[in-house]
CSV table of all heavy atoms in Angstrom, one decimal:
chain,number,residue,atom,x,y,z
A,284,PRO,N,4.0,11.4,-12.6
A,284,PRO,CA,3.6,10.8,-13.9
A,284,PRO,C,4.7,9.9,-14.5
A,284,PRO,O,4.5,9.1,-15.4
A,284,PRO,CB,3.4,12.0,-14.8
A,284,PRO,CG,4.2,13.1,-14.1
A,284,PRO,CD,4.1,12.9,-12.7
A,285,ALA,N,6.0,10.0,-14.0
A,285,ALA,CA,7.0,9.2,-14.5
A,285,ALA,C,7.0,7.8,-13.9
A,285,ALA,O,7.6,6.9,-14.5
A,285,ALA,CB,8.4,9.8,-14.1
A,286,ILE,N,6.3,7.6,-12.8
A,286,ILE,CA,6.3,6.3,-12.2
A,286,ILE,C,5.2,5.4,-12.8
A,286,ILE,O,4.0,5.8,-12.9
A,286,ILE,CB,6.1,6.4,-10.6
A,286,ILE,CG1,7.3,7.2,-10.0
A,286,ILE,CG2,5.9,5.1,-10.0
A,286,ILE,CD1,7.2,7.4,-8.6
A,287,GLY,N,5.5,4.2,-13.1
A,287,GLY,CA,4.5,3.3,-13.7
A,287,GLY,C,4.0,2.3,-12.7
A,287,GLY,O,2.9,2.3,-12.2
A,288,GLY,N,4.8,1.3,-12.3
A,288,GLY,CA,4.4,0.3,-11.4
A,288,GLY,C,4.9,0.5,-9.9
A,288,GLY,O,6.0,1.0,-9.7
A,289,VAL,N,4.1,0.1,-8.9
A,289,VAL,CA,4.5,0.2,-7.5
A,289,VAL,C,4.0,-1.0,-6.8
A,289,VAL,O,2.9,-1.5,-7.0
A,289,VAL,CB,3.8,1.5,-6.9
A,289,VAL,CG1,4.1,1.5,-5.4
A,289,VAL,CG2,4.3,2.8,-7.5
A,290,SER,N,4.9,-1.6,-6.0
A,290,SER,CA,4.5,-2.7,-5.2
A,290,SER,C,5.0,-2.5,-3.8
A,290,SER,O,6.1,-2.0,-3.6
A,290,SER,CB,5.0,-4.1,-5.8
A,290,SER,OG,6.4,-4.1,-5.7
A,291,VAL,N,4.2,-3.0,-2.8
A,291,VAL,CA,4.6,-2.9,-1.4
A,291,VAL,C,4.3,-4.2,-0.7
A,291,VAL,O,3.3,-4.8,-0.8
A,291,VAL,CB,3.8,-1.8,-0.7
A,291,VAL,CG1,4.2,-1.7,0.8
A,291,VAL,CG2,3.9,-0.5,-1.4
A,292,GLU,N,5.3,-4.7,0.1
A,292,GLU,CA,5.2,-5.9,0.9
A,292,GLU,C,5.4,-5.4,2.4
A,292,GLU,O,6.4,-4.9,2.8
A,292,GLU,CB,6.2,-6.9,0.5
A,292,GLU,CG,6.0,-7.5,-0.9
A,292,GLU,CD,7.0,-8.6,-1.2
A,292,GLU,OE1,7.7,-9.0,-0.2
A,292,GLU,OE2,7.0,-9.1,-2.3
A,293,SER,N,4.3,-5.7,3.2
A,293,SER,CA,4.3,-5.2,4.6
A,293,SER,C,4.5,-6.3,5.5
A,293,SER,O,3.9,-7.4,5.4
A,293,SER,CB,3.0,-4.5,4.9
A,293,SER,OG,3.0,-4.0,6.2
A,294,GLY,N,5.4,-6.2,6.5
A,294,GLY,CA,5.7,-7.2,7.5
A,294,GLY,C,5.6,-6.6,8.9
A,294,GLY,O,5.4,-5.4,9.1
A,295,PRO,N,5.9,-7.4,9.9
A,295,PRO,CA,5.8,-7.0,11.3
A,295,PRO,C,6.8,-5.9,11.7
A,295,PRO,O,6.6,-5.1,12.6
A,295,PRO,CB,5.9,-8.2,12.2
A,295,PRO,CG,6.6,-9.2,11.2
A,295,PRO,CD,6.2,-8.9,9.9
A,296,THR,N,8.0,-6.0,11.1
A,296,THR,CA,9.1,-5.0,11.4
A,296,THR,C,9.6,-4.2,10.2
A,296,THR,O,10.5,-3.4,10.4
A,296,THR,CB,10.3,-5.8,12.1
A,296,THR,OG1,10.8,-6.7,11.1
A,296,THR,CG2,9.8,-6.5,13.3
A,297,SER,N,9.1,-4.4,9.0
A,297,SER,CA,9.6,-3.7,7.9
A,297,SER,C,8.6,-3.8,6.8
A,297,SER,O,7.7,-4.6,6.7
A,297,SER,CB,10.9,-4.3,7.4
A,297,SER,OG,10.8,-5.6,6.9
A,298,ALA,N,8.7,-2.8,5.8
A,298,ALA,CA,7.9,-2.8,4.6
A,298,ALA,C,8.9,-2.6,3.5
A,298,ALA,O,9.8,-1.7,3.5
A,298,ALA,CB,6.9,-1.7,4.7
A,299,SER,N,8.7,-3.3,2.4
A,299,SER,CA,9.6,-3.2,1.2
A,299,SER,C,8.8,-2.6,0.1
A,299,SER,O,7.7,-2.9,-0.2
A,299,SER,CB,10.0,-4.6,0.8
A,299,SER,OG,10.8,-5.2,1.8
A,300,PHE,N,9.5,-1.6,-0.6
A,300,PHE,CA,8.8,-0.8,-1.7
A,300,PHE,C,9.6,-1.0,-2.9
A,300,PHE,O,10.9,-1.0,-2.9
A,300,PHE,CB,8.8,0.6,-1.3
A,300,PHE,CG,8.0,1.0,-0.1
A,300,PHE,CD1,8.6,0.8,1.2
A,300,PHE,CD2,6.7,1.4,-0.1
A,300,PHE,CE1,7.9,1.1,2.4
A,300,PHE,CE2,6.0,1.7,1.0
A,300,PHE,CZ,6.6,1.6,2.2
A,301,THR,N,9.0,-1.3,-4.0
A,301,THR,CA,9.6,-1.4,-5.3
A,301,THR,C,8.8,-0.6,-6.3
A,301,THR,O,7.5,-0.7,-6.4
A,301,THR,CB,9.6,-2.9,-5.8
A,301,THR,OG1,10.3,-3.6,-4.8
A,301,THR,CG2,10.3,-3.0,-7.1
A,302,LEU,N,9.5,0.2,-7.2
A,302,LEU,CA,8.8,1.0,-8.2
A,302,LEU,C,9.6,1.1,-9.4
A,302,LEU,O,10.8,1.0,-9.4
A,302,LEU,CB,8.5,2.4,-7.6
A,302,LEU,CG,9.6,3.3,-7.1
A,302,LEU,CD1,10.1,4.2,-8.3
A,302,LEU,CD2,9.2,4.2,-6.0
A,303,GLY,N,8.9,1.3,-10.5
A,303,GLY,CA,9.6,1.4,-11.8
A,303,GLY,C,9.0,2.5,-12.6
A,303,GLY,O,7.8,2.9,-12.4
A,304,THR,N,9.7,3.1,-13.5
A,304,THR,CA,9.2,4.2,-14.3
A,304,THR,C,8.5,3.7,-15.6
A,304,THR,O,8.7,2.6,-16.0
A,304,THR,CB,10.3,5.2,-14.7
A,304,THR,OG1,11.3,4.4,-15.5
A,304,THR,CG2,11.0,5.8,-13.5
A,305,ARG,N,7.7,4.6,-16.2
A,305,ARG,CA,7.1,4.2,-17.5
A,305,ARG,C,8.1,4.2,-18.6
A,305,ARG,O,9.2,4.8,-18.4
A,305,ARG,CB,6.0,5.3,-17.8
A,305,ARG,CG,4.9,5.3,-16.7
A,305,ARG,CD,3.9,6.4,-17.1
A,305,ARG,NE,2.9,6.6,-16.0
A,305,ARG,CZ,1.8,5.8,-15.9
A,305,ARG,NH1,1.6,4.8,-16.7
A,305,ARG,NH2,1.0,6.1,-14.9
A,306,SER,N,7.8,3.6,-19.7
A,306,SER,CA,8.7,3.5,-20.8
A,306,SER,C,9.2,4.9,-21.2
A,306,SER,O,8.3,5.8,-21.5
A,306,SER,CB,8.0,2.8,-22.0
A,306,SER,OG,8.9,2.7,-23.1
A,307,GLY,N,10.5,5.1,-21.3
A,307,GLY,CA,11.0,6.4,-21.8
A,307,GLY,C,11.1,7.4,-20.7
A,307,GLY,O,11.5,8.5,-20.9
A,308,GLN,N,10.7,7.1,-19.4
A,308,GLN,CA,10.7,8.0,-18.3
A,308,GLN,C,11.8,7.7,-17.3
A,308,GLN,O,12.2,6.5,-17.2
A,308,GLN,CB,9.3,8.0,-17.6
A,308,GLN,CG,8.2,8.4,-18.5
A,308,GLN,CD,8.2,9.9,-18.9
A,308,GLN,OE1,8.4,10.8,-18.0
A,308,GLN,NE2,8.0,10.2,-20.2
A,309,VAL,N,12.3,8.7,-16.6
A,309,VAL,CA,13.3,8.5,-15.6
A,309,VAL,C,13.0,9.4,-14.4
A,309,VAL,O,12.2,10.4,-14.5
A,309,VAL,CB,14.7,8.8,-16.1
A,309,VAL,CG1,15.1,7.9,-17.2
A,309,VAL,CG2,14.8,10.3,-16.5
A,310,LEU,N,13.6,9.1,-13.3
A,310,LEU,CA,13.5,9.9,-12.1
A,310,LEU,C,14.9,10.5,-11.9
A,310,LEU,O,15.9,9.8,-11.8
A,310,LEU,CB,13.1,9.1,-10.9
A,310,LEU,CG,11.7,8.5,-10.9
A,310,LEU,CD1,11.5,7.5,-9.7
A,310,LEU,CD2,10.6,9.6,-10.8
A,311,GLN,N,14.9,11.8,-11.8
A,311,GLN,CA,16.2,12.5,-11.5
A,311,GLN,C,15.9,13.8,-10.8
A,311,GLN,O,14.9,14.5,-11.1
A,311,GLN,CB,17.0,12.7,-12.8
A,311,GLN,CG,18.4,13.2,-12.6
A,311,GLN,CD,19.2,13.2,-13.9
A,311,GLN,OE1,18.7,12.9,-15.0
A,311,GLN,NE2,20.5,13.5,-13.8
A,312,GLY,N,16.9,14.3,-10.0
A,312,GLY,CA,16.7,15.5,-9.3
A,312,GLY,C,15.8,15.3,-8.1
A,312,GLY,O,15.5,14.2,-7.8
A,313,PRO,N,15.4,16.4,-7.5
A,313,PRO,CA,14.4,16.2,-6.4
A,313,PRO,C,13.0,15.9,-7.0
A,313,PRO,O,12.6,16.5,-7.9
A,313,PRO,CB,14.4,17.6,-5.7
A,313,PRO,CG,14.9,18.5,-6.7
A,313,PRO,CD,15.8,17.8,-7.6
A,314,ALA,N,12.4,14.8,-6.4
A,314,ALA,CA,11.1,14.4,-6.9
A,314,ALA,C,10.3,13.8,-5.8
A,314,ALA,O,10.9,13.1,-4.9
A,314,ALA,CB,11.3,13.4,-8.0
A,315,LEU,N,9.0,14.0,-5.8
A,315,LEU,CA,8.2,13.3,-4.8
A,315,LEU,C,7.8,12.0,-5.4
A,315,LEU,O,7.2,11.9,-6.5
A,315,LEU,CB,6.9,14.2,-4.6
A,315,LEU,CG,5.8,13.6,-3.7
A,315,LEU,CD1,6.3,13.4,-2.3
A,315,LEU,CD2,4.5,14.4,-3.7
A,316,ILE,N,8.1,10.9,-4.7
A,316,ILE,CA,7.7,9.6,-5.1
A,316,ILE,C,6.2,9.4,-4.8
A,316,ILE,O,5.5,8.9,-5.7
A,316,ILE,CB,8.6,8.5,-4.3
A,316,ILE,CG1,10.0,8.6,-4.8
A,316,ILE,CG2,8.0,7.1,-4.6
A,316,ILE,CD1,10.9,7.6,-4.0
A,317,GLY,N,5.8,9.8,-3.7
A,317,GLY,CA,4.4,9.6,-3.3
A,317,GLY,C,4.1,9.7,-1.8
A,317,GLY,O,5.0,10.1,-1.1
A,318,MET,N,2.9,9.3,-1.4
A,318,MET,CA,2.6,9.3,0.0
A,318,MET,C,2.4,7.8,0.4
A,318,MET,O,1.7,7.0,-0.2
A,318,MET,CB,1.3,10.0,0.2
A,318,MET,CG,1.3,11.5,-0.2
A,318,MET,SD,2.5,12.5,0.9
A,318,MET,CE,1.7,12.3,2.5
A,319,SER,N,3.1,7.5,1.5
A,319,SER,CA,3.1,6.1,2.1
A,319,SER,C,2.1,6.1,3.2
A,319,SER,O,2.3,6.8,4.2
A,319,SER,CB,4.4,5.7,2.5
A,319,SER,OG,4.4,4.3,2.9
A,320,GLY,N,1.0,5.3,3.1
A,320,GLY,CA,0.0,5.2,4.2
A,320,GLY,C,0.3,4.0,5.0
A,320,GLY,O,0.8,3.0,4.6
A,321,PHE,N,-0.2,4.0,6.3
A,321,PHE,CA,-0.1,2.9,7.2
A,321,PHE,C,-1.0,3.1,8.4
A,321,PHE,O,-1.5,4.2,8.6
A,321,PHE,CB,1.4,2.8,7.7
A,321,PHE,CG,1.9,4.1,8.3
A,321,PHE,CD1,1.9,4.3,9.7
A,321,PHE,CD2,2.4,5.1,7.5
A,321,PHE,CE1,2.4,5.4,10.2
A,321,PHE,CE2,2.9,6.3,8.0
A,321,PHE,CZ,2.9,6.4,9.4
A,322,GLY,N,-1.1,2.0,9.1
A,322,GLY,CA,-2.0,2.1,10.3
A,322,GLY,C,-1.1,1.9,11.6
A,322,GLY,O,-0.1,1.2,11.5
A,323,ALA,N,-1.5,2.6,12.7
A,323,ALA,CA,-0.8,2.4,14.0
A,323,ALA,C,-1.5,1.4,14.8
A,323,ALA,O,-2.7,1.5,15.1
A,323,ALA,CB,-0.8,3.7,14.7
A,324,MET,N,-0.8,0.3,15.1
A,324,MET,CA,-1.4,-0.8,15.9
A,324,MET,C,-1.6,-0.4,17.4
A,324,MET,O,-1.0,0.5,17.9
A,324,MET,CB,-0.5,-2.0,15.8
A,324,MET,CG,-0.3,-2.5,14.4
A,324,MET,SD,0.9,-3.8,14.2
A,324,MET,CE,0.1,-5.1,15.1
A,325,SER,N,-2.5,-1.0,18.1
A,325,SER,CA,-2.8,-0.7,19.5
A,325,SER,C,-1.6,-1.1,20.3
A,325,SER,O,-1.1,-2.2,20.4
A,325,SER,CB,-4.0,-1.5,20.0
A,325,SER,OG,-5.2,-1.1,19.3
A,326,ASN,N,-1.0,0.0,20.9
A,326,ASN,CA,0.2,-0.2,21.7
A,326,ASN,C,0.4,1.0,22.5
A,326,ASN,O,-0.4,2.0,22.5
A,326,ASN,CB,1.5,-0.4,20.7
A,326,ASN,CG,2.5,-1.2,21.3
A,326,ASN,OD1,2.8,-1.1,22.5
A,326,ASN,ND2,3.1,-2.1,20.5
A,327,SER,N,1.5,1.1,23.3
A,327,SER,CA,1.7,2.3,24.1
A,327,SER,C,2.2,3.5,23.3
A,327,SER,O,2.6,3.3,22.2
A,327,SER,CB,2.8,1.9,25.2
A,327,SER,OG,4.0,1.5,24.6
A,328,SER,N,2.2,4.6,23.9
A,328,SER,CA,2.7,5.8,23.3
A,328,SER,C,4.2,5.7,23.1
A,328,SER,O,4.9,5.2,24.0
A,328,SER,CB,2.3,7.1,24.2
A,328,SER,OG,0.9,7.2,24.4
A,329,ALA,N,4.7,6.3,22.0
A,329,ALA,CA,6.1,6.2,21.8
A,329,ALA,C,6.5,7.1,20.6
A,329,ALA,O,5.7,7.4,19.7
A,329,ALA,CB,6.5,4.8,21.5
A,330,PHE,N,7.8,7.5,20.6
A,330,PHE,CA,8.4,8.1,19.5
A,330,PHE,C,9.0,7.0,18.6
A,330,PHE,O,10.0,6.4,19.1
A,330,PHE,CB,9.5,9.1,19.9
A,330,PHE,CG,9.0,10.3,20.7
A,330,PHE,CD1,9.0,10.3,22.0
A,330,PHE,CD2,8.4,11.4,20.0
A,330,PHE,CE1,8.6,11.4,22.8
A,330,PHE,CE2,8.0,12.5,20.7
A,330,PHE,CZ,8.0,12.5,22.1
């Protein structure tokens, strides 16, 4: 509930995440930011 805006820019080798809190809210201590979803492209098996 402390997080207001979220933006994600996805590229071939990286993804950039930016987030901000709502007015008067802060993030401190251990906190779950959220769940990041993505797709696995057709490729060979790998770690």
Side-chain angles (χ1 to χ4, degrees):
I286 297 177
V289 173
S290 66
V291 181
E292 295 183 6
S293 182
T296 60
S297 65
S299 299
F300 299 81
T301 303
L302 58 92
T304 60
R305 301 179 186 277
S306 177
Q308 299 290 312
V309 296
L310 293 171
Q311 189 169 6
L315 174 66
I316 293 177
M318 298 296 295
S319 184
F321 55 97
M324 302 171 66
S325 296
N326 210 321
S327 58
S328 302
F330 296 98

